Amino acid sequence: MIQLGQILFILSVLVILHEFGHYITAKMFKVRVEKFYLFMDAGFSLLKKKIGETEWGIGWLPIGGYVKLSGMVDESMDMDQMKQEPQPWEFRSKPAWQRLIIMLGGIIVNILLAWFIYTMVYVTYGQKYIATEVIQKNGLAFGETGINVGFKNGDKILAVDGKYQDRFNRMTLDILLGDKIEVERNGEKKTIVLTDPQKAEIIGKEGRDFIQPRLSSVVVDSIAPKSEAFKAGFKKGDHLVAIDNKDFRFFDELKESLSAHKNDSVSITVIRNNEKVTLKTLVDKDGKIGFIPAFKDKLDYEVINKLTLFQAIPEAVKESYELLVYNVKQFKLILRPKTEAYKHVKSPVGIARALPDQWNWEFIWNFTALFSIGLAFMNLLPIPGLDGGHALFTIAEMITGKKLSEKSMGYVQTFGMIILLSLMALTFGKDIYQLIADKFF
C-alpha cells in the first residue's frame, strides 16, 4: 500500500503541475478552459465541480490528466465544437506563437519543477552520489553476463566513449548507453566494445547490477538452512581466507574456485575468534555452498556535498539538463531492437513495484524530479496526441503559413491516440501479468 501511495502522490503532483502549465498559459492568452482533470474520466469521474467556466475533477483511470481548451482537437476528440464558427476565446482563434506557448506550457513547468525540487533537495539533504573513484579502489566485480561480454574481475572503468564519470550509479548507465569502454586491467589499458546483443544480455539478466564493488573481505552474513555450508559448520561472522590451502583476497576469487569444483568437495579456511579453522564442504552443481557474504553498503562510498542556495541553483540546472540528455540516450537505446531495451519499459504499475516499501521524503522528492524530466521529454516527442505532436504542427504552420485543416487534425489526433493507447495497453499488460505471475507462480 505504501508503494501505491507513493506512485499516486508522485503522479498527482506531476500531472497537476503539468496541466497547470497548459492552464496558466491558456489563461494568459484568454483561451477558455472547459475542463481541468487529474487522471482520465473515461465514462465517468470520481469527483467534479464547476467553478466559473472550468469543470475541475478527478478521473477514475490513473494514467495522466488533461485540460480541455475550447476550440482545440485534443484527447476528448470532441469535434462538434469545431463545426461552429471560431470564437475569440477559442484556442484555434489565437496566433500560432500563442498556441505554441500553450502547448509547451506543461513541458516548461515540468522542467522548472525538477529544477526547483533539486535546488531544495541539495539545500536540505545535500547533493549525494556514489563516488566511482572510491568504489573501484580495488577494482570491480562482475556478474556472469559482465564476464561473458568481456569484462574481468578487478577491472577499473577509466572512460565510456572517452568520458570519465565520477558518479558510479550513473557510470553503470553510461556503459549500457555507450559503445566503447576503456578499462584498466593489471596496469594496462584495454578497450571493450559492446554490441547491441551483448547489451540485451546485460539488460535482460542483471541490468545495472551487473557491476558491483569488489569485496576485499569475505565474511559470512547468513547461511541457508540445510545448505552445504550449514552442514559443514560455517557460522555467521566467519572470515574466509583460503580454499584448499590457497589464500584469496576477493570474493570473486572464491566464487571462481568454487565454480571450478562443482559437485566436488573443498576445504575452506576461516578465521573464527582469532583462530584459523578448516572446514570441509561439498559444492553444489551451481558452484555454491549456501552462504551470503556481508556486502559493504554502497552508502559507505557516498559523497555528500552540503550546498548553499546560491550553489544549489546552478547545480540543479545542471542536473536537470543532464537527466534530459540521459532520457534522449535511453530513448535511442529503446529504438534499437537488438538491445531489447523496449521489453523493460515500465508502466506506473511496474514503477510502483520498484519503489521502496517505506515512506522516505528525500527519495520521493528525488524520484519526482527525475520523473518530471522524463515526463517533459516524453511530451516533447513529435507524436500526435502528445504536446510535441501539437507543437510540431504549429511550428510547421509558422514556417509555411499553412494550417492543417480541422478534419485532417482530427484524423491525425485519432491516429496518435491509437498509438499511445496501444503502447500503454502493452506496458500495463506486461507489468500486470508480471505482478500476477510473481504472486501466484
Side-chain angles (χ1 to χ4, degrees), residues 140-205:
L140 298 167
F142 298 86
E144 184 180 351
T145 53
I147 300 295
N148 289 343
V149 301
F151 292 98
K152 290 187 181 297
N153 291 321
D155 284 353
K156 294 182 179 180
I157 309 296
L158 300 178
V160 179
D161 291 339
K163 182 181 178 182
Y164 175 73
Q165 175 60 260
D166 61 352
R167 301 186 183 193
F168 179 74
N169 47 328
R170 196 160 283 180
M171 184 191 72
T172 56
L173 184 58
D174 285 344
I175 290 172
L176 295 175
L177 298 175
D179 295 307
K180 291 184 179 181
I181 299 96
E182 292 179 33
V183 302
E184 179 186 316
R185 182 179 299 165
N186 299 323
E188 297 182 3
K189 287 185 179 181
K190 302 283 184 181
T191 300
I192 298 171
V193 179
L194 290 183
T195 65
D196 284 356
Q198 288 175 328
K199 290 180 182 180
E201 185 181 359
I202 293 172
I203 295 170
K205 292 183 178 178

Side-chain angles (χ1 to χ4, degrees), residues 228 232 234 243-245 257-268 278-285 287-289:
E228 299 301 338
F234 283 84
I243 181 169
D244 288 341
N245 295 318
S257 295
L258 291 175
S259 185
H261 290 83
K262 293 177 182 178
N263 296 316
D264 197 359
S265 61
V266 294
S267 296
I268 297 179
T278 299
L279 302 169
K280 192 166 185 177
T281 179
L282 290 173
V283 183
D284 67 19
K285 61 182 178 62
K288 298 178 180 179
I289 61 175

Side-chain angles (χ1 to χ4, degrees), residues 131-147:
T132 300
E133 183 179 358
V134 179
I135 208 168
Q136 64 174 1
K137 183 178 180 181
N138 294 316
L140 298 167
F142 298 86
E144 184 180 351
T145 53
I147 300 295

